[in-house]
Amino acid sequence: MERLLIRGGNPLRGDIRISGAKTAALPVMAATLLADGPTTVGNIPHLHDVTTTMELLGRMGVELTVHEGMEVEVNTASIDSFRAPYELVKTMRASILVLGPLLARFGRAEVSLPGGCAIGSRPVNIHVDGLRAMGAEIEVRDGYIQGRADRLRGAHIRMDVSTVTGTENLMMAAALARGTTVLENAAREPEVINLADCINAMGGHVQGAGTSTLTIEGVERLRGVHHRVLPDRIETGTYLVAAAMTGGEVRLKDTAPELVESVLGKLRESGAEVATGRDWVTLRMDGRPCAVDLETAPYPGFPTDMQAQFCALNAISTGAGTVTETVFENRFMHCLEMQRMGADIQIDGPRAHIRGVERLTAAPVIATDLRASASLVLAGLVAEGETRVDRIYHIDRGYECIEEKLAQLGADIQRVPD
Ligand code: EPU
C-alpha cells in the first residue's frame, strides 16, 4: 500500500488543469449499456473508480478500447453477463448504476447490494422501489439485487430524498421504457444534467434536467454517440481551498466556474480574491483565511463533497466556524484525524465547531474516505513537519495525479511505498 508524505509550509502557486469529473464519468459509462452502437466517452479522468467501471463492463463481455487522451470506446454488442459481483461493488458503490440500464435494455440484472460505507448507511431503496414501480420484478437474495423485466413501463415516481445516483439510475431505465416517466424530487446536480445530455444525444427524450422534475419519454432504442464528461467541480474546489489555506495564488484551467458558485462564495467570504472566466478560475489569498459557517445541501447548495476540505480550512483560520453536514450522517472522520494534528474541533451531532489555530503539526493520519483523505492532504500542506497520509487508495479513487498536480504548484509532496 502506498502513502503520501507532505512537508507543509509552501504556498501553492501556478497553473494546473482540472480533470473530467468522476461522478459524471461513472453514470455516462453505465449509460453506454443503453446504446445499440459503440459510444465514445471523452475527458475521462484516469482514476481507480473509472478502472473499476471498465473492469465491471469488461466482465460483462463488453468490449472497451482506450484511445489517446483518455477517450474510452465502449461496444456492448458482445455482452453476455448481466452481473455486478460483490468484489467490485464493495470497492465502488457506483456500480449500482448498471442496474437501471441492464434491466431496461436486457431485461435482467444481478447487482450486489453495496452495504454501508465510511460516510453513512447509504441505502439504495429508492433505486429499487423506482424500478419496481416501472414494472421490474426485484428480489434481494444472497446479498444481490436480482431483477427481471419484460419491458419497463413509464411511471410517476416521487423520490423521498434527493439522490444523485438514484435519479441517474431511474433516468437511464426510463430512457428505454414504454411510455413516459416523471421523476419528482430529482437531484439537480450538474452530473445529472451531463447524463441527460448524453441520453438525449443518443436519441432519448429527457426533459427538465437541472430542475427537480424530470420527464422522460421512453424510446425503442438508443444509438451510440461521442460524449464529453464535464469538468470535476469537486477537484476544482479542492485545489482552490488548498491555495487559500497556503496563502497562495493559482489558476485552474479547463474547469467550469459556474458549477462551483457556492464554493466560490465561501472562499470569498474567507477572504480570498477569486476571479473567473469561461473555463478558468484564479484564486489569491493573502495571510490566513477567516473561518466560515456552512451547511451542506443537495445542489445548488454547498456540496457535501467539499465539507471536509472546508473543515481543514477552518482549522487554520482566524476565528471560529461551524460546519453542518445534512446529507450523510457520519461524515466527520477527518475531524478526528485533524484533532491529532492539533486542530481545535468539537463534534456535536451533525455539526463541527472549529476554532482556527495558528498552525497544525504533522502526524501520521489515516484516510477513511475519498474527500476525508483530500482534507488531510490539505492539512498536511500547512502543517509544521512531515505529515504521512496512509490508505491513499481512497484518494486515487477520485483525484487524478494529486501529488503531481500539487507538486506542480510547488508543494513538497511525494508518494512512497509502504
Ligand atoms: N439515500 C437514500 N436512499 C437511496 C439513495 C440515497 O436514503 O436509495 C440517501 C443517502 O443515504 C444520503 C442521501 O440520500 O443520505 C443522498 O445520497 P445520494 O444517493 O445522493 O448519494 P450517491 O448518489 O450515493 C453521489 C456521489 C457522492 C456524493 C453524493 C451527494 C456518485 C458516484 N457519488 O452519491 O460522491 O457525495 O452523491 O452529492 O455520484 C464522492 O465523490 O466522494 C462521493 C461520495
Side-chain angles (χ1 to χ4, degrees), residues 22-23 26-27 93-94 97 119 121-127 161-166 168 189 233 304-305 327-329 331 369-371:
K22 171 193 79 132
T23 49
L26 305 183
R93 301 177 52 82
L97 284 166
I119 60 177
S121 61
R122 301 184 78 184
V124 289
N125 57 309
I126 295 171
H127 305 232
V161 202
S162 168
T163 154
V164 179
T165 47
E168 292 166 344
E189 269 66 4
R233 62 195 167 99
T304 172
D305 289 340
V327 179
F328 291 112
E329 72 261 33
R331 212 174 191 183
D369 74 77
L370 170 54
R371 308 303 168 187

Side-chain angles (χ1 to χ4, degrees), residues 98-159:
V98 299
L99 181 63
L102 286 177
L103 279 172
R105 173 137 179 256
F106 303 102
R108 53 197 163 133
E110 210 180 325
V111 177
S112 170
L113 269 175
C117 79
I119 60 177
S121 61
R122 301 184 78 184
V124 289
N125 57 309
I126 295 171
H127 305 232
V128 170
D129 291 349
L131 290 165
R132 281 190 176 133
M134 294 167 83
E137 277 174 34
I138 297 184
E139 261 190 279
V140 177
R141 210 178 331 124
D142 308 328
Y144 277 76
I145 303 169
Q146 309 201 337
R148 291 259 166 193
D150 285 335
R151 183 168 176 205
L152 295 175
R153 52 174 190 269
H156 195 120
I157 299 166
R158 190 183 155 78
M159 293 176 279

Side-chain angles (χ1 to χ4, degrees), residues 27-233:
V28 166
M29 289 177 81
T32 62
L33 290 168
L34 295 168
D36 283 350
T39 289
T40 308
V41 189
N43 201 29
I44 290 241
H46 188 54
L47 296 172
H48 253 230
D49 276 6
V50 168
T51 319
T52 307
T53 306
M54 288 171 66
E55 187 176 347
L56 178 60
L57 294 173
R59 285 210 206 172
M60 292 178 186
V62 169
E63 213 177 277
L64 295 133
T65 317
V66 180
H67 296 296
E68 248 174 65
M70 272 321 268
E71 276 206 350
V72 178
E73 187 181 323
V74 187
N75 190 342
T76 58
S78 51
I79 192 165
D80 56 8
S81 155
F82 308 94
R83 184 177 160 90
Y86 176 64
E87 65 265 30
L88 292 182
V89 179
K90 77 172 181 204
T91 66
M92 189 188 68
R93 301 177 52 82
S95 311
I96 188 79
L97 284 166
V98 299
L99 181 63
L102 286 177
L103 279 172
R105 173 137 179 256
F106 303 102
R108 53 197 163 133
E110 210 180 325
V111 177
S112 170
L113 269 175
C117 79
I119 60 177
S121 61
R122 301 184 78 184
V124 289
N125 57 309
I126 295 171
H127 305 232
V128 170
D129 291 349
L131 290 165
R132 281 190 176 133
M134 294 167 83
E137 277 174 34
I138 297 184
E139 261 190 279
V140 177
R141 210 178 331 124
D142 308 328
Y144 277 76
I145 303 169
Q146 309 201 337
R148 291 259 166 193
D150 285 335
R151 183 168 176 205
L152 295 175
R153 52 174 190 269
H156 195 120
I157 299 166
R158 190 183 155 78
M159 293 176 279
D160 291 343
V161 202
S162 168
T163 154
V164 179
T165 47
T167 303
E168 292 166 344
N169 230 338
L170 299 182
M171 184 204 300
M172 289 189 279
L176 284 180
R178 177 177 292 120
T180 304
T181 299
V182 177
L183 297 179
E184 278 189 59
N185 196 25
R188 295 189 282 160
E189 269 66 4
E191 293 75 17
V192 172
I193 304 178
N194 196 247
L195 176 64
D197 289 345
C198 175
I199 293 174
N200 286 340
M202 287 173 165
H205 293 295
V206 181
Q207 282 184 330
T211 75
S212 54
T213 305
L214 295 181
T215 307
I216 305 134
E217 249 179 73
V219 295
E220 290 279 334
R221 53 175 42 88
L222 292 166
R223 57 178 179 269
V225 286
H226 183 282
H227 180 81
R228 195 175 159 79
V229 167
L230 89 179
D232 194 322
R233 62 195 167 99

Side-chain angles (χ1 to χ4, degrees), residues 302-358:
F302 187 91
T304 172
D305 289 340
M306 282 302 303
Q307 180 259 97
Q309 299 86 322
F310 271 80
C311 287
L313 179 130
N314 275 354
I316 52 98
S317 63
T318 55
T322 298
V323 172
T324 308
E325 172 60 54
T326 71
V327 179
F328 291 112
E329 72 261 33
N330 184 26
R331 212 174 191 183
F332 283 129
M333 298 296 276
H334 43 279
C335 289
L336 306 179
E337 291 299 282
M338 284 178 208
Q339 282 168 346
R340 298 181 49 252
M341 298 174 77
D344 180 352
I345 307 180
Q346 310 292 326
I347 310 275
D348 173 15
R351 270 174 275 282
H353 303 287
I354 307 168
R355 180 164 292 284
V357 294
E358 203 150 324

